[in-house]
Every structure is written in C-alpha cells, then in structure tokens.
Amino acid sequence: MDYRVERVALEEQPTAVVRAVVPEAGIAEFLGGVFGEVIEVIGAQGLHPAGPPFGCYVPTPDGFQVEPGFPATGPVEPSGRVLPATLPAGPAIVVLHTGPYSAVAAAYEAAQAWLVDHDGEATAPPWETYLDGPEVAEPRTLVYVPCRPR
C-alpha cells in the first residue's frame, strides 16, 4: 500500500484512558471492553468524546504498554481504571492506513521512513486514531507521530 505522510500541528487534547500491559494477542479483546468503560466515565462526569477512539502502544518485554481511550471535551477525573491523560501539542506527521488493523504496522514503517528521509525524529510515542470500527470491511486508522527536525 502506498502511504501519504502529512505534516500537522496538534493542539494539546485532554483524554480519558485506561493503562495496562497487555500481551499482543490480547490487545483486541482488551480494547473491546475499555472503550465502553471510558465512554461511561466521560458521560458520568458531564463530558463528551471530542473525537474518535485512539490507542497508544509501546512495546515492553511483557507485551505492550497500552493506553486506549477517547479525547474528551474537558479534563477527566480518575474513576476506577479510567485516568486523565493528554495527547501532546506540537508538530507531528500523520499517516492514513486503510485495511485490517493487523496490517497497520506498515503505516508506522511509512512514518519512520519519512522521518529518516526528512531528517526528523519522534518526540513522543505514536498513537492510532480509529475512524471506523472493526465491523467495517476496510477500517481507516490514522497513525500520528509527534516529531521535530534533528
């Protein structure tokens, strides 16, 4: 798949997330319950989702440190497993992946290649924003990488 990489300027965004270390094989099942839990907490606090769900995945020896959730219309108070967090402000690149979630690694590879070609470096962990649910035959996923020139 050919990927187009775009530069964007992000504004800091309050979020509500659940953090956990999850084996790679268990991520899809974990996400299924988390998104509903986060929506419930956001609503109970009089807030609303400010965009589609997202997930940040950082490899660890035990699987992935995952941080899935939703951007929120305001700061979230901790409730159960749901914690406040933010998506960072600043320059970033974004890549659109269309197709199965299992193939989204190619979008990360395209982003990394772009950074190398443009003498850039990541400034924070990347994250994925899910524009479509798993019921869609060819779901769209945006991969964001905060970055700067070297």
Side-chain angles (χ1 to χ4, degrees), residues 58-127:
V58 177
T60 74
D62 299 320
F64 284 85
Q65 171 72 43
V66 297
E67 192 172 296
F70 279 87
T73 54
V76 175
E77 294 296 322
S79 178
R81 297 190 311 164
V82 178
L83 302 170
T86 58
L87 292 174
I93 57 173
V94 62
V95 181
L96 173 65
H97 171 76
T98 302
Y101 299 128
S102 61
V104 76
Y108 285 88
E109 292 167 8
Q112 183 59 40
W114 188 94
L115 288 172
V116 168
D117 291 347
H118 292 83
D119 200 28
E121 64 183 353
T123 57
W127 68 89

Side-chain angles (χ1 to χ4, degrees), residues 8-150:
V8 294
L10 302 173
E11 293 185 23
E12 186 174 85
Q13 175 64 58
T15 65
V17 301
V18 172
R19 292 187 186 109
V21 174
V22 179
E24 185 173 2
I27 290 175
E29 181 180 343
F30 179 76
L31 294 180
V34 166
F35 290 133
E37 185 178 345
V38 170
I39 286 289
E40 188 174 302
V41 168
I42 289 172
Q45 294 184 16
L47 301 170
H48 303 283
F54 71 92
C56 179
Y57 309 92
V58 177
T60 74
D62 299 320
F64 284 85
Q65 171 72 43
V66 297
E67 192 172 296
F70 279 87
T73 54
V76 175
E77 294 296 322
S79 178
R81 297 190 311 164
V82 178
L83 302 170
T86 58
L87 292 174
I93 57 173
V94 62
V95 181
L96 173 65
H97 171 76
T98 302
Y101 299 128
S102 61
V104 76
Y108 285 88
E109 292 167 8
Q112 183 59 40
W114 188 94
L115 288 172
V116 168
D117 291 347
H118 292 83
D119 200 28
E121 64 183 353
T123 57
W127 68 89
E128 303 172 5
T129 296
Y130 307 108
L131 302 179
D132 301 304
E135 73 284 353
V136 173
E138 294 288 314
R140 297 168 298 148
T141 304
L142 293 171
V143 173
Y144 288 90
V145 181
C147 60
R148 67 175 174 230
R150 285 191 196 267

